Amino acid sequence: HLRIQSDAIIKELAHLENRMNTFATQLRLGLHAELSGSDSNGFDMKELKSFVNREPLDRETDAIYFPTLSDNRLLTAVVRGAGFTCVDNYDESYTLESAVRRGRSVTGDAVCAPLAAVYGDVLNAIDDFKKRKKAGDPEFLLKKRLLIFNNKGMGPCRQGQYVEAHKLFLRKSSFGNGIDGDLADSLMHFLVGHENKGFNVGFPQWAFFRGIQSIVLQGVLHQLLAAGSSRCLNSGEYEAFLDDYRQLKCDLGNVLENFIAPSPGALTLAKKLRPIPALAFAAKFFAYRFHQNPLWKPLRRFSNRWCRSPLPGDAIRIHVDGEVYMRTSQFEEICRTLLKVLGFRRFELTYAPVWSFLEYKLAGMLMRAEEGIRESIGEIRRATSAGFRRERGAFAIQKVKRSFKMRLSIFGLRRILAAPLYSAARLHIPEPMTDVLDVAGTIVPTRRPGGELMPFVGETILKLRDGYDLILNVAPEGCMVSSMGEVIAKALVDAVPQAKGRVEHLFSQQGDVDEGALERALLTVLGPQRLYRPAQSTKTADSG
């Protein structure tokens, strides 16, 4: 399926191959012996596997932590609503830079900012667990296991390999998979969500669906933050907006923690109807309370108050895309920086939220299933052996079933979990990832490699067609996928002859937003006269 599209990508792949060959040579020569640990016997894979939780979740003995990815408190609220101990590790004083610094104290500077930040969250979780146990926190008296969520899939980096790197870091630490000598009966394990199992680590199905919805809700809140803050008239109104926004997050968290759990009777009925798929689907829809979602009214009320006034006709339109972790973690800071540089009522800001990448994973599975169907049909038509035709026919049927399952999953994610929230907030829902991949195929026919590159290609073209002025490729320094996006950025602009916008790149090593780079990107698009001209509405409001 691999078709090389440009000399630049060939160079990137050759560079990657060279790095892999170099690393293999170093291993053969024993230059990485320090990875074997401090003891002379080294370790084997069984020791690393011991860091992964393999037991069912236990509400009595387990304390669960999730790495931060911007504000994760809606997700932790859902987990607490399901009866588990799940600690909030994010507050309004949180900064991505602090998480990166904490992680780099162990990982060093050679790794990317997201890997360091997530490991910083791991270290903070261990410290918090120890502190609560030693302080005699009543909720932690019976807790014996610290479980830290991590995910693993087929992709690179965060989509597949972070947990493996984190195991190595923990192995080199002083506590191994225990906590420390004072808490010898407490163990630390990674709670690994596997891509091929839907990332569910053992939560009840209703809590899993609500957890996915909380991730969608994060994207809705980010979009409301951008829409409302850019419409403020002055700093006083902006402070009132922020107070209301923080209260909205608290109200939604309270709903998710205390008012969305299904009743035991509804769960029992849904379980009895499980053998009848159509009735089971309807029973779960009503049992899980998706028909009377208490999240809608707070979103509608906030949107009506802060996000309904039109922006001036010359407001610049900006879209944030790129690597998932960085574009999400830095979105609020990018919004604040744009307010600082441009002022109020000068821009409209959108971005591709985390849940869009979840939809992309489903759309990618659907794409591969449909490719398998087409290939099997072609092979059946050309085959002369009856046995081979039966074999390929069975394979095609399997792929048809998988295709149907993926379409149903995409429908559930977009139409049941996401669309009602975006409608309540009066926001446009992000483009379907099936459409994004189709558009990306006009530039890269294979729609590969997997990861953030193809969504970036498709979304960039769609935004340029829609008249956006600036698309930001936000990523960590050293990210190969985003660097490939940088290489083909000109081709993306050229693919839309009528485009007036540009693609600029905002890379970070320490987790900070480079204000100078962002200002230069705006200067490139607007020119000095438009960039440094204060908004008319802002001057009027201030003078009043």
Side-chain angles (χ1 to χ4, degrees), residues 52 71 84 136 150 167 252 417 443 445 472 475 509 528:
V52 176
D71 193 340
F84 296 92
N150 219 312
K167 290 178 190 176
L252 294 174
L417 299 183
I443 300 296
L472 291 174
Q509 173 67 8

Side-chain angles (χ1 to χ4, degrees), residues 383-401:
T384 57
S385 167
F388 180 78
R389 286 198 295 270
R390 284 194 299 271
E391 177 187 339
R392 300 311 295 172
F395 179 79
I397 291 173
Q398 179 185 8
K399 292 299 180 180
V400 168
K401 292 179 179 178

Side-chain angles (χ1 to χ4, degrees), residues 29 48 58 63 67 75 151 169 199 235 281 295 321 325 356 431 442 477 512 519:
L29 296 176
L48 293 184
D58 189 321
L75 176 59
N151 58 282
F169 294 139
F199 299 112
S235 58
F281 178 85
L295 301 169
D321 216 295
Y325 186 94
S356 288
E431 293 85 357
T442 62
E477 286 285 355
D512 57 317
E519 189 168 358

Side-chain angles (χ1 to χ4, degrees), residues 22-37 43:
T22 299
F23 186 67
T25 300
Q26 292 172 340
L27 289 176
R28 189 169 59 251
L29 296 176
L31 300 182
H32 290 272
E34 69 273 11
L35 288 179
S36 64
F43 68 93

